[in-house]
Amino acid sequence: MKAIQITEPSVMKVIDIADPQMGDNDVLLKMKYVGFCGSDLNTFRGGNPMVKMPVVPGHEVGAEIVKVGKNVPEGLKPGMVVTVNPYTNCGKCASCRNDRVNACEHNETLGVQRWGAMCEYIALPWEKVIPAGGLSPRTCALIEPMSVGFHAVNRAQVTDIDTVMVIGCGMVGMGAIVRAAQRGATVIAADIDDEKLTLAKQMGASYAVNTKTEDVHARLLEMTSGFGPDVVIEAVGSVPTYQMAVNEVAFTGRVACIGYAKTEVSFQTKYFVQKELDIRGSRNAQPSDFRAVIRYLQRGTCPVDRLISNEVIPENALGAMEQWAANPGKVFRILVNFE
């Protein structure tokens, strides 16, 4: 069957691989749409330290069930539109023991530590298959990245009395904006791209700040009556944005960190103490986050078409990735159409 493989930095090609083998507890999925995410871009650019190459990328899935194993529950049937939970968990580490399987010490994510979903068919344990009734496979490919943003809002314990600044308005940041707004918080979107900021306001942000052209500190004080945001969600993964999160969050505020900075970050650690900050990592997503995103998308209010920057067939994936690498700030999601 046809698959997309990244063999080394800047080298991506369409290859032929063996059809997947099913077990009694597995579900065979026909890929319809699979999204390229930021980790795939980093793999392509040679900056993903967790990837094992060569790799078939992809873990943002819109698929259809083709066949189910004999031990699969009756709730999963051929013809159903689904997405997948692309993470593994060992069941034995401290995270798993504490029921936070999304942060499993030994997690292997599809398309990173193990071959992913950029292929025609994949067989997965039934527990990893998530029905998404009422959604198209194309829309389903947006569920996983948005769920990561939803999870960060949970980690930050956002409530309706909070002002929440989300740094980075890519797909994950948009998920955080949506979820924080759903919880009644006042949301401030921050990015360097005005088009993304405009869309962020459409998706629930009350304010927008261009961190490249505006005085961020002054704007935040103006928006928050001099206090600063109660919560900052870092969804970029760079030295300046991590420092901004700590510097700008209010006294006794919470910082939720999603992005991986590629280099070490220096902080004014006095702010940790003086502000008595809660600084929390946020990794992947829980099954409840997937369900919450599905429910949001089922309402039909999400501007799905504006979140899909490009849609290509496998043979054109290399060109799309090269364009994204050349201008990363202008892309939300690239979907590969396997239909």
Side-chain angles (χ1 to χ4, degrees), residues 203-268:
M203 297 188 70
S206 298
Y207 303 99
V209 180
N210 188 312
T211 58
K212 187 176 182 179
T213 62
E214 298 184 72
D215 185 332
V216 176
H217 182 68
R219 286 290 316 280
L220 291 176
L221 292 181
E222 175 188 335
M223 295 171 190
T224 61
S225 301
F227 293 109
D230 304 289
V231 174
V232 176
I233 296 175
E234 200 288 334
V236 176
S238 71
V239 173
T241 53
Y242 260 87
Q243 292 171 335
M244 181 186 298
V246 171
N247 293 347
E248 299 299 344
V249 71
F251 274 64
T252 67
R254 287 102 69 199
V255 178
C257 306
I258 309 174
Y260 283 91
K262 310 305 181 292
T263 60
E264 293 185 0
V265 183
S266 297
F267 293 103
Q268 289 288 343

Side-chain angles (χ1 to χ4, degrees), residues 6-334:
I6 301 174
T7 57
E8 58 184 290
S10 301
V11 179
M12 177 188 290
K13 57 187 178 181
V14 177
I15 63 171
D16 187 65
I17 63 174
D19 292 340
Q21 299 298 308
M22 279 186 65
D24 291 340
N25 296 311
D26 292 339
V27 175
L28 181 65
L29 302 178
K30 170 67 175 79
M31 295 297 104
K32 298 290 188 176
Y33 291 88
V34 184
F36 278 123
C37 76
S39 63
D40 298 323
L41 176 62
N42 288 333
T43 297
F44 182 74
R45 299 166 87 178
N48 188 345
M50 295 183 293
V51 74
K52 297 177 182 179
M53 286 205 277
V55 68
V56 172
H59 55 255
E60 301 177 357
V61 170
E64 182 179 304
I65 296 177
V66 174
K67 185 179 179 181
V68 299
K70 67 179 183 179
N71 294 336
V72 173
E74 292 184 2
L76 296 173
K77 299 180 183 296
M80 292 179 66
V81 173
V82 299
T83 190
V84 304
N85 181 330
Y87 325 121
T88 64
N89 61 283
C90 69
K92 299 177 181 179
C93 70
S95 299
C96 292
R97 186 179 62 182
N98 292 325
D99 294 326
R100 288 165 65 176
V101 296
N102 58 292
C104 174
E105 181 180 355
H106 305 292
N107 167 66
E108 293 185 347
T109 298
L110 285 174
V112 185
Q113 294 92 350
R114 57 190 173 129
W115 280 25
M118 286 277 178
C119 52
E120 293 182 272
Y121 294 91
I122 190 170
L124 291 172
W126 69 263
E127 296 93 339
K128 297 299 181 182
V129 177
I130 304 172
L135 299 182
S136 69
R138 183 170 178 264
T139 298
C140 285
L142 305 180
I143 292 171
E144 191 275 342
M146 294 192 76
S147 73
V148 176
F150 272 46
H151 182 66
V153 172
N154 287 341
R155 289 286 293 141
Q157 296 179 305
V158 171
T159 73
D160 59 343
I161 64 171
D162 289 321
T163 297
V164 179
M165 178 186 185
V166 178
I167 305 176
C169 295
M171 276 297 302
V172 172
M174 288 296 186
I177 288 167
V178 168
R179 192 57 164 164
Q182 284 183 335
R183 292 192 173 189
T186 300
V187 182
I188 302 169
D191 201 279
I192 61 174
D193 186 274
D194 285 330
E195 291 181 20
K196 288 185 175 180
L197 291 172
T198 298
L199 182 55
K201 294 187 75 172
Q202 183 179 343
M203 297 188 70
S206 298
Y207 303 99
V209 180
N210 188 312
T211 58
K212 187 176 182 179
T213 62
E214 298 184 72
D215 185 332
V216 176
H217 182 68
R219 286 290 316 280
L220 291 176
L221 292 181
E222 175 188 335
M223 295 171 190
T224 61
S225 301
F227 293 109
D230 304 289
V231 174
V232 176
I233 296 175
E234 200 288 334
V236 176
S238 71
V239 173
T241 53
Y242 260 87
Q243 292 171 335
M244 181 186 298
V246 171
N247 293 347
E248 299 299 344
V249 71
F251 274 64
T252 67
R254 287 102 69 199
V255 178
C257 306
I258 309 174
Y260 283 91
K262 310 305 181 292
T263 60
E264 293 185 0
V265 183
S266 297
F267 293 103
Q268 289 288 343
T269 54
K270 67 178 182 180
Y271 290 148
F272 296 7
V273 178
Q274 287 180 342
K275 293 184 177 184
E276 200 174 51
L277 299 181
D278 291 331
I279 300 177
R280 306 173 183 181
S282 182
R283 184 181 180 191
N284 299 331
Q286 291 271 23
S288 59
D289 301 308
F290 282 84
R291 293 195 299 270
V293 173
I294 289 169
R295 179 169 293 187
Y296 161 67
L297 291 171
Q298 285 171 337
R299 296 188 184 116
T301 59
C302 179
V304 169
D305 288 340
R306 294 194 62 187
L307 296 175
I308 298 170
S309 305
N310 197 1
E311 184 180 317
V312 298
I313 61 173
E315 289 76 10
N316 294 337
L318 173 61
M321 187 63 86
E322 288 174 336
Q323 291 176 5
W324 191 12
N327 194 6
K330 288 294 184 182
V331 172
F332 282 108
R333 271 304 175 270
I334 297 170

